[in-house]
Amino acid sequence: MDDRCEEKTRGRLDRRRFFTLGGAAGLLAMSRPVFSLPARALPLAAAGEVPSFELDELTIADLQKRMESGQDSARSITEKYFGRIEALDRRGPALRSVLEINPDALAIAEKLDAERKAGKVRGPLHGIPILLKDNIGTADRMTTTAGSLALQGSVPSSDAFLAARLRAAGAVLLGKTNLSEWANFRSTHSSSGWSGRGGQCRNPYALDRNPSGSSSGSGAAAASNLCAVAVGTETDGSIVSPSNNCGLVGIKPTLGLVSRNGVIPIAHSQDTAGPMTRTVADAAALLTALAGQDSADSATLASAGKSAPDYTKFLDPKGLAGARLGITRKGHFGQSPAADRIVEAAIEEMKRLGAVIVDPADIETAGGFERNEFEVLLYEFKADLNSYLAALPPSSRPRTLKDLIDFNERNRDREMPFFGQEIFVMAEKKGPLTEKAYKKALEAGLRLARKNGIDKTMDKNKLDALVAPTSGPPTLIDLVNGDYGVNGSSTIPAVAGYPHITVPAGFDHGLPVGISFFGRAWSEPTLIKIAYAFEQATKHRRPPRFLATAELL
């Protein structure tokens, strides 16, 4: 779930097992992985070769209208998305964003169609196809592997809490998306979007560019209309960074708004799941379904009285009028000229829309606690992953982090052809969470990010939200050196456990760039209102054209 540590974790294209798709019927008939072509042998399709799509850019509300009118059903919509996956993910541009599809998806859709016919509609997500990142557990005929061959075939004994909530809301769980393996917490020089199971996921705006991670597949798939909406996870940047790179709206919620129960972890002090969508309205609708208290995740108990029953009620096109926004220049501007230019234009637009701009409103502690963060993540990763693996149904698969390290060593040709497992080894050397070094780093990080960071800055300037570039334009996939580029603005809200929303803000050479709004704990209603007003006034989102490379001329 970690993109900042993703910027330290890099990877590549590879021969890997994953589900091949042969049309909608073939999608559901295929229940075991087969060898695919080497990723580097897959041709890059020109924009003109990508077929048009009937459901292109349709929102949740649009799809509901089609089902209400009888123009479509949940089954027909699901079949159309399967066809889109076949055309773009397995063929054509070969995005490699989807690891596997749900063999039960059409049956689920048919049951939801029967409910609708009987007059029962569960809510806005009834019949809506959704893709889940492959670290979110489902107790069905799909697997949950974090992209690793070590967990190939692993099926948890129960759904992740958020997956169960989506089922209850009437969503069709369409499949699992590719990701930076182990949420990009394996190597110091990985390529975001690479996993042992799926190979290298590509950016749909320019196929030689990095989709970022670790929710790479969720980002590329949602951007490419392979699903209605997608769910990603984040420890530090893994929702907002791929949303930036793939022209999406991404919401990293307050820690505890969405349960982590059943999600393969990195660190309980920062992990969360959240929406990755093409519009703020869809993100708000999806967040409503995801949020909820779960006795198996004590962090969610803090959301009592602080979460909203329906986040779509905060979609206010005039939400910027009178809003006090602080521009956090320290540590966030000056890294990417393109991002700076785009966000400066966005600031001027928000002024015209009635926002009160406080500039600068710097967070004094910015850049001062990355070492504390990484120390905490190493400790918690070992403890949390060992607990997760130990709780899986009995089998011969790895039960500890040490087992995973050994598996990777035995399978170097498949799991480590491009980068290693330096972070795994560092984490394995850590002791229990009772150690002073862990407690000291955790306390320092929270203090610097919360009380002396976001809270202090917002109190001092009487702010509703803080504003920064999300990141720079997508960089090239670098299979030799791993990821490089702009660190982005994700770390402070990630360490604080506070909410963070990114919205498309413009393009540079045809590559998307996002703007970030973040603030206090449980301030999702305010951030959604601001983000929606900006989106509606600017309409920067545009679908990808699957170009072989960026528009450099």
Side-chain angles (χ1 to χ4, degrees), residues 259-276:
S259 172
R260 291 83 53 84
N261 176 21
V263 179
I264 298 176
I266 286 182
H268 59 267
S269 65
Q270 292 183 206
D271 288 353
T272 185
M276 298 178 70

